[in-house]
Amino acid sequence: MHRPIPRTLLALLGAGLLGGAAQADEPTSYGWIEKATIEPWGTEVKVKLDTGALTSSMQAEEIEAFERDGEDWVRFTTEVEDEATDEVVSKTFERPVFRDLRVIGAGGEESRSVVLMTLCMGETLREEQFSLEDRDDMNYPVLLGRRTIQGLGSVETTRTFLHEPDCNDDSPVKSHAEKEYDEDIGV
């Protein structure tokens, strides 16, 4: 015999007010703007989750390609406002080139280096692919595109700052480093 579930119980389950398995499998939601730290630097930056962009990008200036042990590398400086201190800070990074990105947009075609960088979002470290771009004239120094967002969860387009970066040595690391793409059309 089938007994209907009382409406109050359904409402509590739907609102997520009852714990258990129903909540455990639900993906995390993020606002369209979040705070993250660039690791291992620890600088806190505003990050825009942009469903219109395919590939993530990060503020980079003085981009210089070079070769190390027969591999393509890139040296670049990231200058951002540290949201935790309201100070402008900069750091020079050296990373192997993970792939080259061909971008076709309204301004024409350009090539950008893509490197792996790690962000702390919430309590999770995320190693992601970032194209290097001078984003000085943009509001957000880090943009997360669809390839990164698909591993995060849902984006609540009317909300911001749903998570504070809170990673430590025991934080789980999620990576999209294994994915390699031949070519991007647009970003």
Side-chain angles (χ1 to χ4, degrees):
M1 178 174 166
H2 174 41
R3 299 178 77 190
I5 298 174
R7 287 185 190 192
T8 21
L9 183 56
L10 283 173
L12 289 171
L13 283 169
L17 297 177
L18 294 179
Q23 277 187 317
D25 294 333
E26 291 181 21
T28 303
S29 293
Y30 288 85
W32 72 279
I33 302 172
E34 290 289 346
K35 288 184 182 176
T37 55
I38 301 171
E39 297 301 327
W41 187 17
T43 296
E44 186 175 279
V45 294
K46 288 181 184 174
V47 175
K48 179 180 178 183
L49 283 71
D50 188 349
T51 60
L54 183 60
T55 302
S56 299
S57 64
M58 181 175 287
Q59 165 61 18
E61 300 174 17
E62 303 170 12
I63 302 168
E64 176 188 346
F66 65 98
E67 192 173 298
R68 178 178 287 163
D69 298 326
E71 302 288 326
D72 292 331
W73 280 62
V74 66
R75 179 180 301 113
F76 60 97
T77 300
T78 298
E79 183 179 87
V80 295
E81 181 177 338
D82 186 334
E83 293 297 316
T85 64
D86 290 330
E87 293 180 24
V88 175
V89 296
S90 68
K91 181 170 177 69
T92 300
F93 293 94
E94 290 184 355
R95 294 285 190 271
V97 174
F98 186 75
R99 66 184 174 103
D100 291 308
L101 170 72
R102 187 177 75 148
V103 180
I104 300 173
E109 183 178 324
E110 67 177 284
S111 179
R112 295 183 194 157
S113 294
V114 174
V115 298
L116 298 179
M117 297 290 290
T118 302
L119 295 181
C120 169
M121 291 187 66
E123 296 177 354
T124 304
L125 293 166
R126 299 184 177 280
E127 183 183 53
E128 302 290 342
Q129 298 179 32
F130 288 93
S131 71
L132 301 177
E133 174 186 15
D134 187 343
R135 299 183 55 82
D136 260 351
D137 59 344
M138 310 282 187
N139 291 329
Y140 308 101
V142 177
L143 180 140
L144 298 183
R146 292 188 308 273
R147 288 187 173 140
T148 299
I149 293 171
Q150 70 186 358
L152 293 176
S154 61
V155 177
E156 293 193 33
T157 58
T158 60
R159 307 214 30 217
T160 58
F161 307 117
L162 299 180
H163 302 273
E164 288 290 324
D166 188 25
C167 297
N168 57 45
D169 291 340
D170 297 326
S171 295
V173 178
K174 295 191 176 179
S175 177
H176 284 113
E178 73 283 353
K179 295 182 180 180
E180 192 163 343
Y181 307 96
D182 294 332
E183 184 175 290
D184 290 326
I185 304 299
V187 287

